[in-house]
Amino acid sequence: MCVSGSDGGGRSPGKASAIKAGAQRPAEDAEKLQRESREEAFIMGNWFVNNWFSAIIISVWMGLNIFLFVYFYLFYQYEEEFFYTRHLLGSALAWARAPAAVLNFNCMLILLPVCRNLLSLLRGSFVRCSRTMRKQLDKNLTFHKLVAYMIALMTAVHMIAHLLNVEWYNNSRQGVYDKLSTALSNLEDDPVNKTTFLNPIRKNDIDPQQIPTYFVFTSIAGLTGVIITLALILIITSSMEVIRRSYFEVFWYTHHLFIIFFAGLVIHGIGYIVRRQEDESAEPHDPHFCYNRTEDWGRIPECPVPQFEGGPAQTWYYVLAPMIIYLCERLLRFIRYNQNVQYRKIVMRPSKVLELQLVKKGFRMDVGQYVFLNCPAISQLEWHPFTMTSAPEENFFSVHIRSAGDWTEKLIDIMQKLPEGAQGPKMGVDGPFGTASEDVFDYEVSMLVGAGIGVTPFASILKSIWYKFKDNDPNLRTRKIYFYWLCRETHAFEWFADLLKAQEKEMEDRGMGDFLTYKLFLTGWDQSHANYVMVNVDRETDVVTGLKQKTHYGRPNWDKEFEEVRKENPTSVVGTFLCGPEVLGKVLEKKCGKFSDVDPRKTKFYFNKENF
Amino acid sequence: MGKIEWAMWANEQALASGLILLTGGIVGVAGQFRGWEFAAYAVAAGVFVCLLEYPRSKRAKGTSVERTGQYCFTVCVKAFGPLTRNYYVRAFLHAAICVPGGFMLATVLGCVCLGIASLIYLAAAIRGEHWEPILPRKDVRKPVAESIKNPPQNPPPRPPPEMRRKPAKELESSAYDNPIAVTDE
C-alpha cells in the first residue's frame, strides 16, 4: 500500500518553488531563478516536439486570413473603378469588403471540422502519414471554435463599416456633402437617359433619420445581413461553456440556426449594391479629369455620364463545396440511423452502469473508437457519443453507459423495464469514429491514463491486446503498457476490475507479467478505509479491487511517474493517452513537454487526448 | 444534465445585447449619425445592461461558474433585492430598454437582440426561475452544543455496564452497588 503525497495535480513545479522562494536567502534565490529559467527554455523546446504541427496549421490559417484582409483592403482602397464609390464612402468601403472576404474564407472552413465522417475518411487516408498529422484531426473542435471567433470578429467589423456606409450614402442622397456626391447620388437607373445608379439609397421622401433602417429592411443584402447576424449571435450566446456543458439541448438545437445562417449568407450578396464604374464607361470618362466638372457630364465628350455596375455575389464560390460535404455528412448519418441494429445482450452492471452489446451488419471498429447513438424513443434528434468497450476481434460491439443525465437516465430506465431477453428499443448507430487511442499500438511504450468513466476506451485497448497476444499478432509493436486509473470510488467500475483481473491472470500464465503495469489511484477515501487497508497490508491481492497490484491512495505524483517511465525506457517514443478532465489534460501535456528530450535518440512523450 | 435553466442563456444573450447596443451607440455618436441622441441613449443603456447582467446567477443544481471578478457586481446587484431577483422584472425592463434602440439603424441590432433576451427571460420567469447571487461559501460553524459546556456526567474510567449507576428515576436501585462488601471494622 502506498499513501502517496500528491502534488495537487494542477500545480506546476515552477509555481510551487516560487512560493517557497520568498523564505530563502537571495543567493539561493538567484540560483533557483536561473535553474527555473533554464527549465522553462527546456519546456519551450519540448513544446515544439508535441505541437509543431498545430502551430503550423494555425500559422497558415492566420496567414491566409491576414493575406485576404490586406489584399481586399488594398483592392477596394486603391482600385480605379471604385473612385466614385470611395468618394461617397471613404475607406469604410474597404473596411467592409476586407472582412467580407475573410468571412467567406472562414465560413468555408467552419463546416469542415464538424463533418465527423469526413474526418474519419481523412484519418483513414493519412494512415501512411505520420501520426503528428493524424493527431491534428482530434483537435477538430478547437479549430471549429477558433474559426468561429474569427467569424464573430469579422462580422463586427463588417457590420460597423456598413453602418457607416449606409449613413454616408444617405447623407449624400440628402445632398449634405459636396456637389459631386449629390450628383453621383442623383444618378438613377434610367433606360431613356442611359444612366445607372451608384448610390443604392433611392428613397428620399420619408424622415431622413428612418431612411437607413428602411433601406436595410427592404434590400436583400440588408435584410439577410440582419437575419444572419441575429442567427450568429444566438448561436454564439448559446454555445458559451456554461450553456454547452450544462444545458446541452439548448446549445444543440440553437446551433441548427446555422441553416438559416448559410442560406442567408449565400443570398446576401445578390443585390448588386457594391457598385463600381463600368469598364466601358471608364474608357472616355476619366474620374480624375471629370470629378470636379459635374455640370459638364454628358455635355463634353471627355466626360459622358459615368455608368456603374454591381459585382456578383461571391460567397457561394466559397461555401458551396463545404455545404455539399456537410449535406452528404447528414445524409450518411440518416442512412446509418435507418440501418438495423440488433441487441446481442443488455446487461445492468452494478452502480447504474448499463452495458449494451450490439450487432450491426458491416460494422468494423478499431480500438478506442466511439459511436454516436440515437434512441428515437427518447429523442429523435439527439445523438450522443459513447466510447466502445469491445475489442475489434469480437463479433459485436459494446458500450458502457453510466447514468449521468436526462438521456442516459431515460435509456437505463427503458432498459430496466424490458422483459428478460427482449430486444431493446430502436437504436440508431453512427460510426465508428476514430480518436487518438487507435494509435496505441504504434508506440513502443504507451502510458494510458483514465479518470473515472474515462477508463472505457482503455477497456477496448486492453481487451484487444489480450486478443493480439493470443494470436501472436505481428502488428503489435507495443512492448510495454503503463496504465493509470484514477477514480473516486472503484465500486462504480467493478465491471472494469473484472476485466483487469482476467487479463492479469492471462498474462501471468504466459509469463508476460511485466508487459502491463497498472496503477490504481483511489482519490476518494477516508481514515476508516485506510485503517482497513493497513490491517490487510500483507494480503497478496488488493482489498478494494481484488487485483495483484495494490491500490494507491490520493492523486498520482506525475513527476515521479514520468521519471520512472523515462528511466525504464531511456530510448523509446512514449505515447501518453488520456481520457479524462481538461485540467488533467493540461497537466499531462505539460509533463509530456517537460520530460521529452529534444535529442531524437532519447525518450520522447507524445500527448493524445480523447475529445469529450 | 438536468432541467434546463433558461435564465442562464437569457443572461448570456442579454450581456451580448448590452455589448452590441453599446457598440452601435458608440458608432452612432462617433459618426454623428442622424438622430445620434438615440445612439447616446444606447451607450447608456448598453452600459447599464452590461452592469446588470455581468454577475451570473447561481444555478439551481450543480456548480455555478462565476465570471471573472463578478463578486463586487454581485453585491451591487443583490442590493436591489426583489427588483433584480425577479426575472419578470428583468424581462419587462429589457423590453422597455430596447424600444428607443429601434429608432436608428446603428442600434437596431442591439435592440432586437435585447428583445430576444427579454423573451427568454420571460420564459425563464414563467418557469419559476429567479436570480440568486453566487457568494463565497462561508463555513458555517455550529455553535457549541449546550451539553458540551457541562462537565461529563459519567466520566471515564467507567465500570462495566452491568455495574453502572442506574438512572435516577429508580431511586432505590440507583445507588451505586458495590460488588465487594464493605464492612466497618
Side-chain angles (χ1 to χ4, degrees):
Chain A
M1 189 200 78
C2 145
V3 179
S4 67
S6 75
D7 71 343
R11 215 190 298 155
S12 68
K15 207 168 159 192
S17 44
I19 292 164
K20 278 184 227 141
Q24 277 166 346
R25 275 165 298 163
E28 267 179 41
D29 239 18
E31 192 192 324
K32 189 147 210 163
L33 255 162
Q34 211 177 353
R35 190 150 19 104
E36 256 167 37
S37 72
R38 226 181 304 139
E39 197 170 83
E40 219 146 82
F42 185 66
I43 290 172
M44 271 303 286
N46 284 306
W47 179 86
F48 248 46
V49 174
N50 274 299
N51 292 305
W52 66 272
F53 197 72
S54 344
I56 287 179
I57 296 268
I58 301 292
S59 315
V60 168
W61 170 73
M62 204 63 207
L64 278 171
N65 280 326
I66 292 171
F67 166 77
L68 281 172
F69 194 98
V70 172
Y71 176 82
F72 280 95
Y73 185 89
L74 295 177
F75 181 80
Y76 283 95
Q77 188 66 3
Y78 294 109
E79 202 63 25
E80 217 30 41
E81 56 195 13
F82 291 104
F83 182 90
Y84 284 132
T85 321
R86 269 199 306 275
H87 183 80
L88 297 185
L89 303 177
S91 48
L93 172 70
W95 277 103
R97 298 310 301 158
V102 180
L103 277 171
N104 284 340
F105 172 61
N106 282 288
C107 289
M108 170 179 87
L109 292 180
I110 193 129
L111 283 178
L112 299 179
V114 290
C115 291
R116 50 194 190 219
N117 284 301
L118 172 77
L119 292 182
S120 249
L121 199 74
L122 282 180
R123 176 189 301 280
S125 55
F126 274 173
V127 168
R128 273 167 227 297
C129 296
S130 86
R131 76 172 71 90
T132 328
M133 306 270 246
R134 268 179 294 154
K135 258 188 331 199
Q136 295 318 305
L137 296 175
D138 293 335
K139 297 188 180 162
N140 57 340
L141 292 182
T142 314
F143 188 64
H144 180 75
K145 282 181 221 167
L146 205 60
V147 172
Y149 289 137
M150 184 57 92
I151 288 181
L153 177 70
M154 286 300 140
T155 303
V157 178
H158 184 74
M159 208 189 72
I160 290 173
H162 273 323
L163 285 178
L164 297 174
N165 285 338
V166 174
E167 187 69 19
W168 290 337
Y169 265 145
N170 187 33
N171 284 347
S172 302
R173 186 81 180 98
Q174 296 296 320
V176 179
Y177 299 142
D178 58 355
K179 234 193 296 175
L180 175 59
S181 297
T182 314
L184 286 169
S185 297
N186 284 338
L187 289 174
E188 239 169 316
D189 263 349
D190 187 348
V192 183
N193 295 328
K194 293 215 172 98
T195 56
T196 42
F197 75 94
L198 171 62
N199 186 337
I201 293 185
R202 308 309 322 149
K203 189 97 176 154
N204 209 6
D205 51 2
I206 55 171
D207 174 17
Q209 193 189 320
Q210 298 312 325
I211 289 177
T213 315
Y214 173 85
F215 170 71
V216 161
F217 284 94
T218 50
S219 60
I220 295 174
L223 194 60
T224 52
V226 170
I227 291 173
I228 65 178
T229 313
L230 272 178
L232 182 70
I233 290 167
L234 286 172
I235 289 176
I236 292 172
T237 56
S238 65
S239 28
M240 291 288 131
E241 182 98 11
V242 190
I243 314 288
R244 202 174 63 233
R245 291 240 182 262
S246 317
Y247 318 109
F248 183 78
E249 289 90 346
V250 175
F251 159 74
W252 172 246
Y253 288 119
T254 317
H255 238 68
H256 281 80
L257 287 174
F258 86 93
I259 298 168
I260 295 178
F261 180 83
F262 274 92
L265 191 65
V266 169
I267 54 175
H268 183 56
I270 62 173
Y272 285 80
I273 55 173
V274 182
R275 313 282 289 182
R276 60 158 72 86
Q277 195 181 355
E278 266 177 22
D279 288 344
E280 290 124 56
S281 154
E283 197 71 52
H285 182 111
D286 178 12
H288 291 281
F289 178 76
C290 301
Y291 76 95
N292 51 6
R293 296 184 170 80
T294 46
E295 288 98 347
D296 298 333
W297 282 5
R299 298 210 183 117
I300 54 173
E302 292 89 347
C303 296
V305 179
Q307 303 290 316
F308 298 97
E309 62 178 0
Q314 287 176 332
T315 308
W316 65 274
Y317 299 154
Y318 288 89
V319 296
L320 192 65
M323 277 161 75
I324 291 173
I325 291 175
Y326 190 77
L327 204 70
C328 294
E329 167 84 25
R330 290 306 280 253
L331 210 64
L332 191 61
R333 280 187 209 175
F334 184 70
I335 294 170
R336 292 242 177 100
Y337 165 77
N338 282 318
Q339 280 167 344
N340 188 26
V341 176
Q342 292 284 324
Y343 288 83
R344 183 174 175 273
K345 229 180 195 178
I346 302 168
V347 194
M348 264 323 285
R349 297 282 175 189
S351 330
K352 277 210 129 184
V353 173
L354 172 74
E355 183 186 349
L356 294 180
Q357 296 187 357
L358 304 167
V359 183
K360 185 177 170 182
K361 227 171 149 187
F363 188 90
R364 262 212 70 250
M365 64 164 289
D366 271 315
V367 291
Q369 283 189 314
Y370 59 93
V371 284
F372 277 81
L373 297 185
N374 176 320
C375 183
I378 302 168
S379 165
Q380 293 262 337
L381 294 166
E382 285 173 45
W383 290 88
H384 290 261
F386 292 97
T387 307
M388 284 178 284
T389 49
S390 49
E393 286 83 357
E394 287 166 316
N395 58 0
F396 61 90
F397 64 96
S398 68
V399 286
H400 282 75
I401 299 169
R402 193 183 58 146
S403 156
D406 280 354
W407 196 89
T408 48
E409 238 152 60
K410 276 184 205 151
L411 184 71
I412 289 175
D413 210 43
I414 291 173
M415 296 300 181
Q416 273 175 333
K417 281 186 192 138
L418 284 178
E420 196 70 32
Q423 281 284 309
K426 178 184 161 50
M427 186 70 81
V429 176
D430 188 17
F433 302 106
T435 48
S437 15
E438 70 188 10
D439 305 340
V440 168
F441 308 119
D442 295 351
Y443 292 91
E444 258 177 84
V445 177
S446 295
M447 279 174 88
L448 316 178
V449 183
I453 192 75
V455 77
T456 39
F458 302 132
S460 167
I461 291 168
L462 294 174
K463 263 192 199 171
S464 180
I465 290 173
W466 183 15
Y467 282 109
K468 286 202 164 71
F469 258 137
K470 275 188 182 165
D471 308 345
N472 291 324
D473 194 320
N475 284 337
L476 192 67
R477 274 173 69 185
T478 320
R479 287 188 298 101
K480 189 145 179 60
I481 285 186
Y482 295 86
F483 175 57
Y484 303 85
W485 181 16
L486 289 64
C487 60
R488 208 166 282 154
E489 30 169 11
T490 33
H491 73 82
F493 304 107
E494 279 153 353
W495 57 272
F496 193 79
D498 277 352
L499 178 99
L500 273 180
K501 216 184 285 180
Q503 204 136 40
E504 192 172 53
K505 192 171 170 299
E506 188 88 4
M507 291 194 179
E508 223 160 69
D509 291 349
R510 285 168 183 261
M512 299 284 293
D514 60 344
F515 177 79
L516 173 71
T517 307
Y518 60 85
K519 291 189 177 174
L520 272 54
F521 295 86
L522 195 61
T523 50
W525 53 284
D526 55 25
Q527 195 53 46
S528 74
H529 193 136
N531 289 342
Y532 181 58
V533 175
M534 264 186 257
V535 171
N536 290 291
V537 72
D538 293 333
R539 255 210 246 165
E540 203 183 316
T541 54
D542 189 73
V543 290
V544 187
T545 54
L547 293 167
K548 291 256 161 58
Q549 300 264 357
K550 292 299 172 72
T551 304
H552 299 244
Y553 293 85
R555 292 190 209 168
N557 180 345
W558 288 115
D559 276 326
K560 207 182 99 203
E561 305 296 343
F562 272 84
E563 193 53 58
E564 210 168 277
V565 172
R566 180 157 73 167
K567 215 181 285 165
E568 285 173 28
N569 310 281
T571 57
S572 304
V573 178
V574 183
T576 307
F577 297 85
L578 166 74
C579 192
E582 194 76 30
V583 190
L584 185 57
K586 288 212 178 99
V587 173
L588 288 180
E589 196 161 15
K590 224 181 259 166
K591 298 287 178 211
C592 280
K594 187 176 164 195
F595 285 92
S596 312
D597 216 302
V598 188
D599 184 343
R601 288 162 302 178
K602 291 201 178 139
T603 318
K604 229 173 263 22
F605 291 91
Y606 283 95
F607 181 68
N608 299 267
K609 189 181 169 304
E610 288 266 333
N611 257 339
F612 30 83
Chain B
M1 204 134 288
K3 204 174 126 233
I4 292 169
E5 287 177 64
W6 291 96
M8 301 305 277
W9 182 27
N11 172 259
E12 299 286 347
Q13 177 69 22
L15 188 62
S17 319
L19 288 173
I20 293 163
L21 207 54
L22 178 63
T23 315
I26 291 173
V27 172
V29 172
Q32 285 295 299
F33 285 9
R34 271 200 181 71
W36 64 271
E37 297 84 358
F38 287 100
Y41 161 81
V43 171
V47 170
F48 171 74
V49 171
C50 287
L51 290 180
L52 174 66
E53 297 293 342
Y54 191 75
R56 200 177 268 154
S57 163
K58 196 161 153 178
R59 284 175 54 199
K61 213 175 92 185
T63 41
S64 311
V65 192
E66 286 185 65
R67 290 205 176 86
T68 328
Q70 79 164 49
Y71 177 69
C72 49
F73 294 94
T74 308
V75 174
C76 299
V77 171
K78 186 171 168 267
F80 290 93
L83 280 183
T84 46
R85 214 177 102 84
N86 191 325
Y87 282 145
Y88 280 111
V89 175
R90 280 195 197 209
F92 291 119
L93 184 67
H94 289 329
I97 287 177
C98 81
V99 171
F103 288 104
M104 73 177 295
L105 181 64
T107 54
V108 158
L109 192 69
C111 153
V112 178
C113 283
L114 198 59
I116 295 175
S118 151
L119 288 179
I120 310 176
Y121 263 132
L122 194 64
I126 289 170
R127 293 164 68 99
E129 295 169 28
H130 52 77
W131 189 82
E132 205 60 61
I134 309 179
L135 294 169
R137 232 191 302 164
K138 286 178 213 123
D139 283 328
V140 189
R141 275 257 181 108
K142 276 187 204 149
V144 182
E146 274 307 306
S147 63
I148 295 177
K149 285 180 187 158
N150 300 330
Q153 307 268 302
N154 187 15
R158 302 184 184 96
E162 63 271 17
M163 286 172 211
R164 272 195 207 146
R165 196 205 284 246
K166 304 276 156 46
K169 271 184 263 169
E170 309 149 43
L171 254 185
E172 275 303 288
S173 53
S174 68
Y176 184 63
D177 258 347
N178 201 335
I180 306 157
V182 182
T183 46
D184 192 10
E185 290 191 22

